[in-house]
Amino acid sequence: MLSIRDLRVEFESPHGLIMPVDSVDMDILDKETFTIIGESGCGKSLLANSLLGLLPRDAKVSGKVHIDGEEILSLKKKEWRRIRGNKIGLVFQNPSASLNPVFNMHGHLYETLKYSNKPSSRDKMVSLLKKTGIKNPLRRLSQYPHQLSGGMKQRFAIALGIATDPDILIADEPTNGLDVTVKLKIVQMLSKLHSERSILLITHDLNVAYNLSDKIAVMYAGELVEIAPVNSFFEKPIHPYSSQLLVSHPEKEMLPIPGFTPQLTQRPQGCRFHPRCALASRKCKHEHPGLEKIEGERYVRCFACA
Amino acid sequence: MFAYLIRRVLFLVPTLLLVSIISFSIIHIAPGDPAELLLTGPDGVADPQVVEEFRNEMGFDQPFYVQYGTWLMQVLSGDLGYSYMTDQPVSKAILHNFGATFKLAVASMLFTLLIAIPGGIIAALAKDTWKDDLSRFFSLFGVSIPNFWQGYLMILVFALFLDILPVGGYGDGGDLYHMILPALTLGTSSAAVLMRLMRSSLLDVLDHDYILSARARGLPEYIVIGKHALKNAFIPVITMMGLSFGYLLNGSVIIETVFAWPGIGNLMVSSIYSRDYPMIQGTLLFVAGIFVLINLLVDISYAYLDPRLRYDKRNN
Amino acid sequence: MIKGIINRSILIGLILIGAVLFLALAAPWLAPHDPQQTNFEQRLLSPSSEYPFGTDHLGRCILSRVLFAARISLFIGASVIGISFIAGTMIGSISAYAGGIVDEIVMRFVDGFLAFPSMFIALAIAGIFGGSMTGLIIALSIVEWTAYARVSRGSVLAVKNMDYIAVSRMMGGRAPYILRHHILPNITSPLLVLSTLGMGNVILAAAGLSFLGLGVSSAPEWGMMVNEGRLFIQSAPHVMFFPGIFIVITVLGFNFLGDGLRDIFDPRDTKQRWRLF
């Protein structure tokens, strides 16, 4: 379905070249929910945006991304439109910012449907709103973003994301900033959509990841350090970073791990996690580990546990 | 919306009161006795007897607040007094001349928008390229050129050298032919200001997530820019258009003198020359009133454009 | 960061202002003739080696007049900005610091002034004073100070409730001390931009009023020179051309500088890229 090989995103910064996304390899299968977890700043959102060609002008993207066999990173600026919405839909984090304040719901949906050549009838809109659990859909259509609650905005953002019927829906932190009950409802709603299409979920909420995913990938300092099916991951995480993530958060709410996430400009040599790792050896300080297959569908980037 | 309007209008009352005080008292700033000043002609100071009579007649011997009170009462009943020079009612002269200024201002505003909106959009979309630099230079140049000098350069080129437009005057009731040069000159600086604002406002909007989100949904670029970005970017531009009208009024003082356009600026200048106090006071009060009114209209249109303000009551 | 301090606009602005300032200061040595010396045999001469900018209707050397006029314009600009800056900042800061009824009254007063198109007020005041340099400076200061009052009030309000001010106050800092040591340093950058752009505007307005005959008349002044030249626009366009171009250069210099300073102090353009991380 979607295959990513050696994806890198680089920027020229005042402190030299930085690489917020570094050699990412992953595959998302048909109707699979693939979740990337990691602390904020690890590069997950940038990775998502790069799949739609939505990076700042000065970003350099390299690698290969195939969707249904078509390579998309080499697309011209105009050809991206074919991918956006139709092949890959993106639900941004923070729906308050991603909805245009001067358009009402109808305006948002109408255009989105119209320009992806879908019927933009009122019935279609109502069914989309119903599907994402928005009550009173007819009345809601004439409302503006500022008139909606946070949860409602998130539902609507997801409705917009699936309006174009993409093969893959990327949901970037869909539960960020919502209170617990609303979060639960959004998760329930997403799990219903689960059977329809592939989903790339990006979150730092382990609870959400556990409930929705088929596969989990852990991202640290721009790299994927572990990929595993959801059950085996939660039973027995392998990478020291993954296990610290799980162990240090009894409530399954991710909290910071001791030590600091390395800054983009000062990444440690060798394994990027070694300064915070209990198992670090000499080798970890000097050599950079690759992402190795260890058993079945499990991959891990670690000398100590591979 | 309605409550907002009422609040907004009530807020104007103290401002208008101050405006009236400033308009009335400004002629009292200068040292010396206004009656004496007024009657001082080329042959020196007039006969003290005459000055005394005049002072009496005009009420200059009354305390300041009595003079102001009397004047304010008159103004509130719609009477701005009579011109010292022509004995014409001040209000009639002002309304007559304001018509000409209004015409000119509308033409200038059209010209301004025609230059500023596309110019600003192009500059923003081509940020940091030569197009952006060019627009920046033109904007800075536009606000740096003295309008009286620009006016004469225009006259020199288009009226005297090319001989395709008139040197000045009102023509047949302010026809287009006579209006082109003054309108272009008057609109230059506001076009420059508005172009810069259009640019920065659009850049600001383009930086928002909802633009990225619109692109992510596969909307074509002309819809993303033309609808999603511009609708938001116009909001501050419209506010500025109101202020631009103030610039245009300011400019009218000089432009109307250069092009002999019989507008309110021209009236003000000639009233100053002849120390026609009732006319000065009336004109000041009138232009401030117009300015306040325009700002009110801008606020209303702002509320109309921005749904966050339109629905402020129903918002939960 | 160092590279960002001096941007291109600032550089252009400084060069233009520096050039005009030099010409103004060195006018007595640079001017080829006495700027007031009339010579009826040499009226309306075109530019030549003797009179590089030609002569006006009274046979006076336009180059010399333009150079001396630079002094007048810069002097008026600096005086008006100085007065407005000091008065406006004081009134605005005190108003914000005092708050309550004082603030309310001061701000209504400022609103009252802002309700007028500024040129009308300036014209009326300059006219009442009967066309003198003092009148011109007073007139322009009266319309200019409100901007400084507003900006400084806004900045002080923003800074006033911050923690370190509260701490300073708890430690017994007195109002004037707090204003001087904590608040003023925080509001200098917007005021710096405002006064740089203000210099350009004031010089333009002063030239405009002098053009109308309501400003300086005893010494050469650019606006007044344009006014004198307009009668000979067809036969001797150079008479009005040179003073005008000097106004443009001077005002352009201040506008470039102000624009560049604004870019530094309000670095909105640089934010977008790094926000993604």
Side-chain angles (χ1 to χ4, degrees):
Chain A
M1 182 75 234
L2 178 83
S3 104
I4 299 176
R5 290 290 168 271
D6 199 25
L7 178 67
R8 294 160 195 255
V9 179
E10 293 168 307
F11 287 92
E12 203 69 66
S13 86
H15 311 283
L17 196 69
I18 54 171
M19 206 185 292
V21 176
D22 189 359
S23 4
V24 165
D25 293 296
M26 57 186 245
D27 292 284
I28 300 179
L29 307 178
D30 199 20
K31 302 215 174 18
E32 178 180 64
T33 298
F34 189 103
T35 301
I36 300 180
I37 56 177
E39 293 163 290
S40 55
C42 72
K44 350 183 256 288
S45 294
L46 213 54
L47 170 65
N49 288 8
S50 69
L51 297 180
L52 284 160
L54 288 175
L55 294 177
R57 251 185 287 185
D58 53 347
K60 270 177 277 178
V61 186
S62 60
K64 296 259 183 282
V65 174
H66 285 90
I67 180 159
D68 287 339
E70 187 193 4
E71 209 290 308
I72 57 171
L73 284 188
S74 55
L75 286 181
K76 299 218 172 57
K77 218 176 149 191
K78 282 185 182 154
E79 297 170 318
W80 271 110
R81 252 200 76 206
R82 208 155 38 78
I83 306 298
R84 294 174 186 162
N86 290 323
K87 297 266 183 187
I88 309 180
L90 175 55
V91 179
F92 281 81
Q93 56 176 325
N94 189 4
S96 302
S98 67
L99 297 175
N100 194 330
V102 299
F103 286 97
N104 60 18
M105 282 190 167
H106 181 273
H108 277 97
L109 278 172
Y110 178 78
E111 278 187 339
T112 307
L113 292 168
K114 183 177 162 199
Y115 290 103
S116 59
N117 300 318
K118 303 273 183 311
S120 51
S121 68
R122 204 162 264 267
D123 290 347
K124 170 79 181 165
M125 295 181 194
V126 168
S127 79
L128 278 167
L129 295 188
K130 273 190 183 150
K131 199 171 197 169
T132 47
I134 295 176
K135 293 191 185 90
N136 266 327
L138 263 178
R139 194 172 72 90
R140 294 289 180 194
L141 277 178
S142 62
Q143 289 189 324
Y144 287 84
H146 72 275
Q147 296 170 290
L148 309 173
S149 66
M152 196 66 77
K153 272 186 247 189
Q154 188 55 267
R155 284 169 194 275
F156 182 62
I158 294 169
L160 268 180
I162 59 172
T164 51
D165 196 19
D167 300 338
I168 299 182
L169 181 71
I170 305 178
D172 191 355
E173 305 276 13
T175 57
N176 208 2
L178 299 176
D179 65 47
V180 183
T181 47
V182 182
K183 190 185 280 186
L184 198 68
K185 284 181 185 156
I186 296 279
V187 169
Q188 282 168 355
M189 187 265 284
L190 279 171
S191 67
K192 277 183 204 156
L193 299 177
H194 179 245
S195 54
E196 289 178 7
R197 69 193 85 239
S198 308
I199 295 178
L200 172 57
L201 181 68
I202 292 174
T203 185
H204 60 234
D205 188 319
L206 295 175
N207 205 8
V208 172
Y210 180 74
N211 280 303
L212 290 175
S213 322
D214 297 313
K215 248 182 230 156
I216 301 269
V218 180
M219 197 163 183
Y220 184 77
E223 296 178 316
L224 296 187
V225 294
E226 179 165 2
I227 303 176
V230 64
N231 288 327
S232 45
F233 179 81
F234 278 92
E235 272 161 30
K236 181 174 161 281
I238 294 179
H239 195 281
Y241 177 63
S242 314
S243 29
Q244 279 199 35
L245 277 183
L246 295 192
V247 172
S248 61
H249 317 302
E251 309 297 327
K252 302 242 170 98
E253 271 283 345
M254 227 163 78
L255 292 168
I257 299 179
F260 299 97
T261 318
Q263 296 203 328
L264 284 165
T265 47
Q266 296 162 347
R267 280 183 175 155
Q269 279 214 314
C271 173
R272 287 178 190 162
F273 188 62
H274 86 259
R276 299 163 85 181
C277 180
L279 307 175
S281 64
R282 260 187 88 82
K283 194 179 177 191
C284 303
K285 281 183 194 157
H286 299 289
E287 286 177 48
H288 189 77
L291 191 65
E292 305 291 341
K293 184 169 187 169
I294 48 167
E295 52 176 70
E297 287 183 88
R298 303 201 68 165
Y299 297 82
V300 72
R301 189 188 291 278
C302 178
F303 292 126
C305 37
Chain B
M1 181 69 191
F2 191 65
Y4 167 77
L5 258 180
I6 298 276
R7 215 168 49 226
R8 183 71 182 68
V9 170
L10 281 180
F11 220 62
L12 289 180
V13 174
T15 309
L16 285 174
L17 200 68
L18 256 156
V19 161
S20 73
I21 294 176
I22 296 171
S23 303
F24 179 78
S25 58
I26 210 145
I27 56 162
H28 294 271
I29 283 183
D33 173 33
E36 214 166 275
L37 265 173
L38 271 172
L39 295 180
T40 306
D43 335 315
V45 184
D47 181 9
Q49 181 70 37
V50 180
V51 172
E52 187 55 41
E53 262 172 40
F54 183 73
R55 187 179 293 143
N56 242 320
E57 191 190 325
M58 292 298 148
F60 287 144
D61 50 351
Q62 309 262 357
F64 174 77
Y65 63 89
V66 175
Q67 293 182 44
Y68 169 69
T70 318
W71 179 77
L72 186 65
M73 283 304 133
Q74 273 183 16
V75 168
L76 288 178
S77 67
D79 176 13
L80 289 173
Y82 292 84
S83 162
Y84 287 168
M85 296 301 133
T86 60
D87 283 332
Q88 225 193 354
V90 167
S91 51
K92 202 177 141 198
I94 288 176
L95 283 179
H96 182 261
N97 282 44
F98 181 68
T101 298
F102 186 72
K103 243 178 169 174
L104 190 59
V106 169
S108 294
M109 189 53 93
L110 282 178
F111 163 71
T112 297
L113 294 179
L114 232 54
I115 299 286
I117 303 288
I121 293 173
I122 291 170
L125 296 181
K127 181 172 175 297
D128 295 334
T129 65
W130 64 270
K131 287 182 200 162
D132 189 22
D133 284 345
L134 194 70
S135 112
R136 183 179 186 131
F137 182 76
F138 269 118
S139 300
L140 287 174
F141 195 76
V143 293
S144 303
I145 189 167
N147 51 9
F148 52 93
W149 185 67
Q150 186 197 354
Y152 284 118
L153 288 186
M154 302 277 257
I155 290 176
L156 189 63
V157 174
F158 293 102
L160 300 175
F161 186 67
L162 296 174
D163 198 17
I164 47 174
L165 289 166
V167 177
Y170 197 50
D172 182 16
D175 53 277
L176 187 65
Y177 179 60
H178 283 82
M179 197 150 62
I180 292 176
L181 284 185
L184 290 188
T185 315
L186 186 55
T188 302
S189 63
S190 46
V193 171
L194 222 54
M195 179 152 79
R196 286 295 277 174
L197 183 74
M198 183 71 237
R199 173 189 179 273
S200 65
S201 171
L202 183 55
L203 280 178
D204 208 37
V205 168
L206 287 178
D207 202 22
H208 275 93
D209 277 354
Y210 54 76
I211 296 301
L212 216 55
S213 160
R215 287 198 179 118
R217 274 177 271 138
L219 297 182
E221 198 61 15
Y222 67 88
I223 293 288
V224 175
I225 305 289
K227 274 181 87 175
H228 285 253
L230 282 183
K231 206 169 172 195
N232 284 284
F234 276 144
I235 295 176
V237 172
I238 285 183
T239 312
M240 197 59 185
M241 267 173 64
L243 290 177
S244 283
F245 204 82
Y247 284 134
L248 294 180
L249 282 179
N250 275 335
S252 76
V253 167
I254 284 171
I255 298 297
E256 290 177 1
T257 307
V258 170
F259 289 97
W261 189 267
I264 197 119
N266 209 330
L267 180 70
M268 183 73 184
V269 173
S270 58
S271 311
I272 296 275
Y273 287 151
S274 54
R275 295 183 173 268
D276 193 343
Y277 286 173
M279 199 66 106
I280 296 174
Q281 291 169 327
T283 310
L284 282 176
L285 187 68
F286 182 80
V287 290
I290 290 288
F291 206 24
V292 166
L293 184 69
I294 285 166
N295 280 324
L296 181 67
L297 292 178
V298 166
D299 276 6
I300 294 171
S301 62
Y302 197 103
Y304 177 77
L305 277 177
D306 192 335
R308 279 163 293 193
L309 289 174
R310 199 189 319 165
Y311 289 91
D312 60 348
K313 267 197 78 179
R314 268 193 278 161
N315 189 7
N316 36 17
Chain C
M1 197 59 212
I2 295 293
K3 223 174 81 187
I5 299 279
I6 298 280
N7 57 33
R8 211 171 25 159
S9 297
I10 293 185
L11 198 66
I12 297 176
L14 287 176
I15 291 173
L16 292 178
I17 296 169
V20 174
L21 196 63
F22 170 75
L23 293 179
L25 291 176
W29 297 276
L30 293 175
H33 299 272
D34 177 349
Q36 300 287 43
Q37 181 66 50
T38 57
N39 185 344
F40 286 92
E41 269 131 51
Q42 312 253 352
R43 294 166 55 190
L44 299 174
L45 292 184
S46 292
S48 62
S49 57
E50 168 147 35
Y51 295 103
F53 288 179
T55 60
D56 68 4
H57 62 299
L58 298 176
R60 295 174 296 193
C61 168
I62 291 178
L63 174 60
S64 307
R65 290 177 68 72
V66 160
L67 291 179
F68 274 93
R71 303 179 144 205
I72 302 278
S73 285
L74 291 177
F75 175 75
I76 293 174
S79 315
V80 172
I81 295 300
I83 294 170
S84 309
F85 187 98
I86 294 169
T89 311
M90 270 172 53
I91 294 172
S93 317
I94 292 171
S95 169
Y97 198 82
I101 186 80
V102 177
D103 189 36
E104 194 60 33
I105 290 173
V106 171
M107 285 337 280
R108 288 286 84 76
F109 201 68
V110 169
D111 280 351
F113 272 102
L114 286 172
F116 290 93
S118 58
M119 201 65 183
F120 280 80
I121 286 278
L123 189 72
I125 299 169
I128 298 301
F129 276 92
S132 68
M133 178 122 97
T134 323
L136 193 61
I137 290 173
I138 293 175
L140 292 171
S141 302
I142 285 179
V143 294
E144 186 73 13
W145 72 275
T146 49
Y148 299 83
R150 275 200 137 185
V151 169
S152 56
R153 175 178 176 272
S155 310
V156 171
L157 279 184
V159 177
K160 187 179 161 186
N161 297 321
M162 286 180 185
D163 286 348
Y164 65 95
I165 302 279
V167 169
S168 173
R169 201 180 295 175
M170 269 190 314
M171 301 191 18
R174 294 214 336 273
Y177 176 85
I178 292 175
L179 264 180
R180 203 166 56 243
H181 289 265
H182 294 295
I183 294 185
L184 287 182
N186 275 294
I187 62 178
T188 40
S189 59
L191 288 175
L192 191 64
V193 174
L194 195 65
S195 39
T196 311
L197 294 172
M199 272 297 278
N201 287 334
V202 166
I203 289 174
L204 265 188
L209 290 174
S210 297
F211 166 79
L212 292 174
L214 297 171
V216 184
S217 49
S218 52
E221 202 281 344
W222 291 330
M224 180 190 77
M225 291 173 73
V226 173
N227 186 29
E228 289 167 350
R230 83 197 145 90
L231 297 170
F232 316 100
I233 181 171
Q234 202 156 12
S235 55
H238 64 271
V239 180
M240 53 144 283
F241 181 78
F242 290 107
I245 204 77
F246 267 74
I247 303 176
V248 175
I249 291 169
T250 312
V251 178
L252 202 57
F254 285 107
N255 281 336
F256 260 113
L257 182 62
D259 202 50
L261 288 175
R262 185 166 43 195
D263 278 358
I264 293 180
F265 294 135
D266 177 23
R268 191 188 309 172
D269 285 2
T270 54
K271 120 187 156 200
Q272 49 195 3
R273 187 204 292 174
W274 307 113
R275 191 202 50 169
L276 274 167
F277 306 146

